[in-house]
Amino acid sequence: MTDRKRILTGIRPTGALHLGHYAGALENWLRLQKEYECYFLIADYQVSDYADDIDTVREAVFEVALDWLGVGLDPEGSHFVIESMVPEHCELALLLSWYLPLGMLQRNPTLKSELQGVSDEGNNVAFFFYPVMQAANILMPMAHLVPVGEDQLPHIEMTRELARRFNRRFGETFPEPEGMVGRFPRLVGLDGQAKMSKSLDNAIWLKDDPETVKRKVMSMYTDPTRLRATDPGHVEGNPVFMYHDAFNPDVAEVDDLKERYRAGRVGDVEVKQKLAAALNAFLDPIRERRAAFAAKPERVKEALAEGSRQGKARAEQTMALVRERMRLEYLK
Ligand code: ATP
Ligand code: MG
């Protein structure tokens, strides 16, 4: 154990990762992984919407780990933890839920929007409970910082409230964790409508090959008011330019394209070709590292096993303290 401040953050194993994960979260993880002691969690207790599709979850555990390794997260310096290999998460979530008024969960805007349109019969109790699991994930290693996409902020707010309540009642135990969103807290999907998401078929995956990236970019939604290349176009709110801003490091090229687009002096094709080239240059080293690890599945398994062992050791310490503070050690 080190005395660096700690990060806990995670991803559900429901599929491979995309550019939205990178711009919204992973980029911060990469930047902070040396400065903080990091727990990167594969949140496989929080996939109750995939309860009938465990094959997908099993596969996604490795897909997520490969994407992490591909972007350059370092399992030597950080801990890659599989949530269910640390069952203490369940215990802490349950104990925390004693101090969480039902109304606070019902008012959580992210949960509310995720539950919208699904009947009470069509939903399971575990889905309703996942923000509490997330609070337990964050508090377990006593994390100080939680770098995530914007949709997760209400869960972090609830976690802070739970930490305060616990500390007030039982004495200073948990640090109050801070949320941190990335440069692009909510990267829009290829459709220009919803956020890029694993489940909406509007993503460029980090593992997409160069041809696929090109094809997806060429079919992207742009400025619907622009019919000809000579019409003045809108840059703001245009997903093609958002991706340029997020992933094209050649600022002069992007500025030039924007200027000509606004003036009606460049066609969508050129803007998109340059975007595809920039994205492929960004993704090349990620794909290369990912493929190298995919060829050595034993190394990936070892990283997950070792990280989970370390997560478990930390959790045992936390739970011993929590039980002591709550006076749940009846036989001592
Ligand atoms: P699912 O549809 O299965 O919920 P997801 O794409 O929302 O998948 P999560 O595992 O729920 O992925 O989220 C992982 C992290 O990535 C979270 O911090 C989330 O906020 C962030 N994230 C996901 N999509 C985006 C996006 N389009 N832009 C910015 N951040 C994102
Ligand atoms: Mg999600």
Side-chain angles (χ1 to χ4, degrees):
M1 306 277 162
T2 65
D3 51 11
R4 277 180 299 169
K5 286 201 167 180
R6 288 170 300 277
I7 278 178
L8 176 293
T9 185
I11 288 193
R12 307 190 322 140
T14 54
L17 303 185
H18 51 64
L19 293 176
H21 292 117
Y22 190 91
L26 293 175
E27 191 176 62
N28 272 339
W29 306 10
L30 281 166
R31 189 167 57 80
L32 298 167
Q33 67 175 341
K34 286 217 161 60
E35 195 183 327
Y36 285 76
E37 182 184 5
C38 294
Y39 291 81
F40 299 127
L41 191 78
I42 300 190
D44 69 322
Y45 275 148
Q46 294 167 56
V47 296
S48 67
D49 44 338
Y50 284 71
D52 294 324
D53 191 8
I54 296 300
D55 283 346
T56 296
V57 173
R58 290 181 63 92
E59 198 181 316
V61 167
F62 287 93
E63 292 288 304
V64 169
L66 283 174
D67 283 327
W68 285 357
L69 293 163
V71 298
L73 292 180
D74 172 19
E76 302 284 322
S78 304
H79 318 299
F80 289 10
V81 183
I82 296 180
E83 185 182 27
S84 68
M85 288 177 74
V86 185
E88 283 82 355
H89 287 127
C90 288
E91 186 184 5
L92 185 56
L94 185 84
L95 294 176
L96 290 172
S97 78
W98 292 3
Y99 306 101
L100 176 67
L102 188 55
M104 206 189 289
L105 197 53
Q106 283 166 331
R107 283 191 297 274
N108 181 310
T110 296
L111 186 63
K112 248 169 133 171
S113 80
E114 285 169 336
L115 290 172
Q116 205 153 43
V118 190
S119 72
D120 284 353
E121 289 310 309
N123 245 313
N124 53 53
V125 174
F127 194 84
F128 199 71
F129 199 68
Y130 94 82
V132 191
M133 288 302 305
Q134 217 180 92
N137 299 151
I138 295 167
L139 297 182
M140 188 66 89
M142 313 251 176
H144 302 88
L145 189 68
V146 192
V148 284
E150 191 174 52
D151 55 326
Q152 304 300 305
L153 292 180
H155 304 336
I156 296 171
E157 207 37 63
M158 202 187 82
T159 305
R160 292 166 61 84
E161 180 59 32
L162 280 170
R164 283 194 292 270
R165 284 171 184 234
F166 192 98
N167 292 347
R168 265 203 307 272
R169 197 176 282 253
F170 301 113
E172 204 53 34
T173 306
F174 297 111
E176 251 183 70
E178 303 270 351
M180 177 193 258
V181 294
R183 272 192 310 144
F184 291 83
R186 194 175 176 282
L187 193 78
V188 73
L190 293 168
D191 52 9
Q193 310 296 320
K195 76 159 192 170
M196 188 178 282
S197 169
K198 284 179 209 149
S199 27
L200 289 179
D201 194 26
N202 64 357
I204 292 180
W205 308 100
L206 299 177
K207 65 175 183 176
D208 274 346
D209 62 54
E211 271 314 302
T212 307
V213 170
K214 201 165 167 195
R215 183 174 47 74
K216 286 183 177 175
V217 168
M218 295 319 284
S219 66
M220 266 178 84
Y221 174 97
T222 57
D223 176 358
T225 65
R226 193 170 190 246
L227 303 176
R228 285 169 295 270
T230 50
D231 294 345
H234 294 91
V235 164
E236 285 68 33
N238 185 328
V240 177
F241 281 102
M242 288 186 209
Y243 292 9
H244 265 297
D245 283 335
F247 297 103
N248 188 346
D250 187 345
V251 179
E253 176 176 276
V254 177
D255 284 347
D256 169 64
L257 287 173
K258 284 181 181 171
E259 198 183 308
R260 288 195 285 137
Y261 199 80
R262 288 195 181 100
R265 284 191 289 109
V266 64
D268 278 340
V269 172
E270 183 183 338
V271 181
K272 287 178 167 179
Q273 276 168 345
K274 292 206 158 113
L275 176 61
L279 286 178
N280 277 326
F282 167 75
L283 290 171
D284 273 340
I286 296 176
R287 287 188 283 244
E288 209 171 295
R289 268 196 303 267
R290 193 187 199 279
F293 279 105
K296 292 182 182 144
E298 288 312 315
R299 274 182 68 186
V300 182
K301 275 192 193 167
E302 187 41 46
L304 292 168
E306 181 54 26
S308 300
R309 261 196 298 279
Q310 286 160 349
K312 170 105 176 128
R314 178 95 216 183
E316 283 170 1
Q317 282 187 359
T318 299
M319 289 319 297
L321 179 65
V322 165
R323 287 188 213 110
E324 183 192 307
R325 294 268 154 100
M326 293 179 73
R327 301 176 55 242
L328 296 175
E329 295 170 305
Y330 309 111
L331 306 184
K332 254 195 176 172

